[in-house]
């Protein structure tokens, strides 16, 4: 019995190998599409649009996805923006602090200079006022001392007696100096004889006195003197009133009369 052998169809010969185009189509159809949100500006999503044969032939790579959404802001970006805003806000503050510091230093320097100048001027004025005050005090002390001596000397000058003429003249010469002393010494001999012959007696008294001018070594004193006079021809006392300008010079530690005027 003849058996008929049925040959199995050769699958390798009946099935055509897939072409590159069909493979690309399957890959394109099987590739999952990238889901993205549609925006108002792009109604269609290019990622979900099927690729044509021409597109698969020319470019097998997926097209670049272009998103119209705003870029995502990360924490680093927010921190950088915050730092920039803080720096922008702090810049005027730093400038104000720097300006305030410079102004403060300038003000302190000006204040220091002003205080130093005021101190120097104050010391100078204090020294000047101190010297002026000391000089004024010295002049006042000199005027007071010279005035007191002039009053006593005026009494000695206007008080003389025939019984004590030599002693009285010695007292007058002892309190004089300069031109007045020389003049009185020359006229004392004639005056002595006149006093003795007339048995004259005179007694002076200072009514008032004042300072005309004064320095530490020369004082001019104005004196008002009442002189009571008696003599042999006029036994009743007579009062002579006179005004005397007496210049007192300081010689050593003494005040002496250098000039006597009867204006």
């Amino acid at each position: 019995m003849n058996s008929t052998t049925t040959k199995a169809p050769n699958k390798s010969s009946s099935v055509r190998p897939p072409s590159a185009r069909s493979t690309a189509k399957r890959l394109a159809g099987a590739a999952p599409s990238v889901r993205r949100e549609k925006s108002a500006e792009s109604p269609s999503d290019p990622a979900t649009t099927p690729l044509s044969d021409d597109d698969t032939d020319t470019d097998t790579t997926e097209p670049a996805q272009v998103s119209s959404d705003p870029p995502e802001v990360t924490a680093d970006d927010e921190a950088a923006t915050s730092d920039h805003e803080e720096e922008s806000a702090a810049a005027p503050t730093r400038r104000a602090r720097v300006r305030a510091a410079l102004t403060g230093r300038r003000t302190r320097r000006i204040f220091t200079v002003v205080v130093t100048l005021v101190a120097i001027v104050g010391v100078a004025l204090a020294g000047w006022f101190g010297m002026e005050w000391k000089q004024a005090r010295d002049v006042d002390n000199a005027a007071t001392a010279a005035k007191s001596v002039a009053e006593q000397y005026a009494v000695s000058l206007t008080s003389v007696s025939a019984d004590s003429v030599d002693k009285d003249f010695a007292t007058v010469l002892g309190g004089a100096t300069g031109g007045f002393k020389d003049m009185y010494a020359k006229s004392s001999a004639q005056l002595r004889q006149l006093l003795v012959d007339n048995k004259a007696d005179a007694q002076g008294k200072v009514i008032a006195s004042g300072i005309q001018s004064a320095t530490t070594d020369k004082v001019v004193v104005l004196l008002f003197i009442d002189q009571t006079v008696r003599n042999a021809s006029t036994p009743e006392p007579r009062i002579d009133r006179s005004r005397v300008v007496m210049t007192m010079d300081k010689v050593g530690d003494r005040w002496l009369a250098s000039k006597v005027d009867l204006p």
Side-chain angles (χ1 to χ4, degrees):
M1 177 176 176
N2 294 330
S3 61
T4 302
T5 305
T6 304
K7 294 181 180 181
N10 191 356
K11 293 181 179 181
S12 60
S13 60
S14 61
V15 179
R16 294 179 59 186
S19 64
R21 178 174 297 184
S22 62
T23 303
K25 288 181 178 181
R26 285 196 302 270
L27 290 175
S33 62
V34 180
R35 297 182 62 185
R36 57 180 298 184
E37 296 179 357
K38 293 184 179 181
S39 61
E41 291 79 8
S42 57
S44 63
D45 190 351
T48 59
T49 304
L51 297 175
S52 63
D53 292 341
D54 294 337
D55 294 337
T56 57
D57 290 341
T58 58
D59 188 3
T60 59
T61 62
E62 295 182 0
Q65 299 178 1
V66 179
S67 175
S68 61
D69 294 338
E72 183 179 357
V73 179
T74 64
D76 294 339
D77 295 336
E78 291 180 354
T81 303
S82 177
D83 292 342
H84 179 71
E85 292 177 353
E86 291 179 356
E87 290 179 359
S88 300
T93 305
R94 285 197 297 269
R95 286 196 295 269
R97 287 199 298 267
V98 170
R99 189 181 298 108
L102 293 176
T103 304
R105 285 196 294 269
R106 188 180 300 109
T107 303
R108 286 193 295 272
R109 285 197 299 269
I110 295 174
F111 179 76
T112 302
V113 171
V114 170
V115 169
T116 303
L117 291 177
V118 169
I120 293 173
V121 172
V123 171
L125 288 176
W128 182 78
F129 280 118
M131 292 179 60
E132 289 292 320
W133 177 80
K134 182 179 182 302
Q135 185 176 4
R137 185 185 62 180
D138 292 343
V139 170
D140 290 341
N141 293 337
T144 301
K147 178 173 171 287
S148 177
V149 173
E151 291 174 351
Q152 296 174 13
Y153 188 74
V155 173
S156 300
L157 185 62
T158 57
S159 299
V160 62
S161 175
D163 298 334
S164 58
V165 63
D166 294 333
K167 180 182 177 181
D168 296 337
F169 283 178
T171 301
V172 173
L173 289 173
T177 187
F180 177 70
K181 184 176 183 178
D182 295 339
M183 183 273 295
Y184 193 85
K186 290 178 180 179
S187 61
S188 61
Q190 184 179 358
L191 180 59
R192 179 182 182 279
Q193 189 62 41
L194 182 63
L195 291 173
V196 170
D197 292 343
N198 290 278
K199 296 180 181 182
D201 183 84
Q203 187 67 40
K205 181 181 179 180
V206 176
I207 303 302
S209 64
I211 305 298
Q212 280 194 342
S213 63
T215 63
T216 55
D217 56 1
K218 185 182 290 291
V219 178
V220 179
V221 184
L222 176 63
L223 303 109
F224 295 90
I225 303 171
D226 281 354
Q227 186 180 34
T228 303
V229 179
R230 296 184 181 91
N231 53 42
S233 60
T234 310
E236 292 297 327
R238 182 183 79 249
I239 297 177
D240 293 337
R241 291 177 177 173
S242 58
R243 184 176 66 175
V244 177
V245 178
M246 188 178 298
T247 301
M248 306 296 293
D249 290 350
K250 190 170 186 179
V251 180
D253 57 350
R254 297 180 63 198
W255 287 98
L256 304 175
S258 62
K259 186 176 181 181
V260 177
D261 293 330
L262 298 172

